[in-house]
Amino acid sequence: MHGYTANKDDVLKRLRRIEGQVRGLQRLVEEDTYCIDVLTPVSATTKALQSFALTMMDDHLQSCVADAIAQGGEAAQDKITEASQAIARMVRS
Amino acid sequence: MHGYTANKDDVLKRLRRIEGQVRGLQRLVEEDTYCIDVLTPVSATTKALQSFALTMMDDHLQSCVADAIAQGGEAAQDKITEASQAIARMVRS
Amino acid sequence: MHGYTANKDDVLKRLRRIEGQVRGLQRLVEEDTYCIDVLTPVSATTKALQSFALTMMDDHLQSCVADAIAQGGEAAQDKITEASQAIARMVRS
Amino acid sequence: MHGYTANKDDVLKRLRRIEGQVRGLQRLVEEDTYCIDVLTPVSATTKALQSFALTMMDDHLQSCVADAIAQGGEAAQDKITEASQAIARMVRS
């Protein structure tokens, strides 16, 4: 059981929508669309991926991290450090 | 002719690789992969999209914007404003 | 007691260094430094602020959020939601 | 003459406002403000720095880069490459 298990269908639907956005970008390039009109949906796709990551991180904190803290001990500390590192990768990407 | 026309095949190859990354994320979710092990490739995919946008913007400046400036007039000014707005969307996404 | 209380001196030192970076930017502008040579330290200052935010968020998760979860109840849930919203502001800025 | 020369006073005013925001962060830490209430203005300060960088880049494209392109030759190409690298630093910070 992970943070997203309960919403697995929604998570997959969201990723499939992002896949559709990336395929849409390919179509735009194939049709020789003007650069800026490709770049605008690229930014929208980047935002969609970041929102996806934020939802997944929230689920992770609500479940995996919260469970580890409730159980206490070193595992809790490790889970928080691991989450902080993932947050850093999100902020820097 | 747009900035990316000469490298259209490379551009498409790059987008197909990003599409593959997004499908890889779906596989990870389907296999109930641990949240953090999904989030790490999500950040890598976001970075790939941003690098793609940076290459496309560089091509755009080198061709469309440079051509408009070489021709001069109001169109040049408009092209720069349009590029700045696209850069702002990239920075904010 | 907050997440950063134990390291308050370090936190302040770090913020004073960032203040120094911003004053350095003003000096560069006053001396009519070339745009790109102003923009490079602007990006470094932005990165310094983001690193600062990441450290503060890690401290916050390790202390305030962990304490709330250890005590349980609705307060824990609220703390996690609040942290997720702050993470979203970091990712989007 | 650089892109920002004509607006130098505004540019300096903007940087002094950002310096004030960073000093405000120090005050919040000195007064033991709750982590999240420090993190919110940290994100606002990061956004202010990014907006500053975007304005400076737009000025740079409108003047230095446009001038180099109007004169043509290798210098034009170098200016665009230099600008693209600065845009990449903005996107990645």
Side-chain angles (χ1 to χ4, degrees), chain A residues 5-52:
Chain A
T5 309
N7 323 309
K8 199 169 152 174
D9 285 351
D10 284 344
V11 167
L12 283 171
K13 204 182 288 176
R14 219 163 150 179
L15 283 174
R16 275 194 288 264
R17 211 177 310 135
I18 293 171
E19 186 194 331
Q21 287 178 280
V22 178
R23 262 209 299 269
L25 297 174
Q26 292 168 44
R27 236 181 344 263
L28 291 174
V29 168
E30 274 158 8
E31 294 165 357
D32 296 306
T33 306
Y34 176 51
C35 314
I36 297 294
D37 295 331
V38 180
L39 280 166
T40 302
V42 169
S43 290
T45 310
T46 308
K47 265 182 201 286
L49 263 172
Q50 283 176 335
S51 291
F52 173 81

Side-chain angles (χ1 to χ4, degrees), chain B residues 60-77:
Chain B
H60 178 62
L61 293 173
Q62 306 275 5
S63 61
C64 313
V65 176
D67 290 353
I69 292 170
Q71 288 177 25
E74 246 180 59
Q77 173 70 38

Side-chain angles (χ1 to χ4, degrees), chain D residues 2-73:
Chain D
H2 300 307
Y4 63 82
T5 310
N7 323 308
K8 199 169 152 173
D9 285 351
D10 283 343
V11 168
L12 283 171
K13 204 182 287 176
R14 219 163 149 179
L15 284 174
R16 275 193 290 264
R17 210 177 311 135
I18 292 171
E19 186 194 331
Q21 286 178 279
V22 178
R23 263 210 299 270
L25 297 174
Q26 292 169 45
R27 241 186 336 268
L28 291 174
V29 168
E30 275 159 7
E31 294 164 358
D32 296 306
T33 307
Y34 176 53
C35 313
I36 297 293
D37 295 331
V38 180
L39 279 166
T40 302
V42 169
S43 289
T45 311
T46 307
K47 263 181 202 284
L49 263 173
Q50 283 176 335
S51 290
F52 174 81
L54 288 168
T55 302
M56 181 152 275
M57 177 55 78
D58 182 49
D59 285 345
H60 178 62
L61 293 173
Q62 306 274 6
S63 61
C64 312
V65 176
D67 290 353
I69 291 170
Q71 289 177 23

Side-chain angles (χ1 to χ4, degrees), chain C residues 15-55:
Chain C
L15 283 174
R16 276 194 288 263
R17 210 177 312 136
I18 293 171
E19 186 194 332
Q21 287 178 277
V22 178
R23 263 210 298 269
L25 297 174
Q26 292 168 45
R27 237 182 344 263
L28 290 174
V29 169
E30 274 159 8
E31 294 166 357
D32 296 307
T33 305
Y34 176 52
C35 315
I36 296 294
D37 296 332
V38 180
L39 279 167
T40 302
V42 169
S43 289
T45 310
T46 307
K47 264 180 201 285
L49 263 172
Q50 282 175 336
S51 291
F52 174 81
L54 288 167
T55 303

Side-chain angles (χ1 to χ4, degrees), chain B residues 13-93:
Chain B
K13 205 181 288 176
R14 219 164 150 178
L15 284 174
R16 276 193 287 262
R17 211 177 310 134
I18 293 170
E19 186 194 332
Q21 287 178 279
V22 178
R23 262 209 299 269
L25 297 173
Q26 292 168 46
R27 241 185 335 268
L28 291 173
V29 168
E30 273 159 9
E31 294 165 358
D32 296 306
T33 307
Y34 176 51
C35 314
I36 297 293
D37 296 331
V38 180
L39 279 167
T40 302
V42 170
S43 290
T45 311
T46 307
K47 264 182 202 284
L49 262 173
Q50 283 176 334
S51 290
F52 174 82
L54 287 167
T55 303
M56 181 151 273
M57 177 54 78
D58 182 49
D59 285 344
H60 178 62
L61 293 173
Q62 306 275 5
S63 61
C64 313
V65 176
D67 290 353
I69 292 170
Q71 288 177 25
E74 246 180 59
Q77 173 70 38
D78 290 352
K79 280 281 176 243
I80 295 175
T81 300
E82 185 189 58
S84 288
Q85 288 165 345
I87 294 166
R89 281 191 294 272
M90 286 163 66
V91 168
R92 288 175 182 141
S93 72

Side-chain angles (χ1 to χ4, degrees), chain A residues 52-69:
Chain A
F52 173 81
L54 288 167
T55 303
M56 181 152 274
M57 176 55 78
D58 182 49
D59 285 344
H60 178 61
L61 293 172
Q62 306 275 5
S63 61
C64 313
V65 176
D67 290 353
I69 291 170

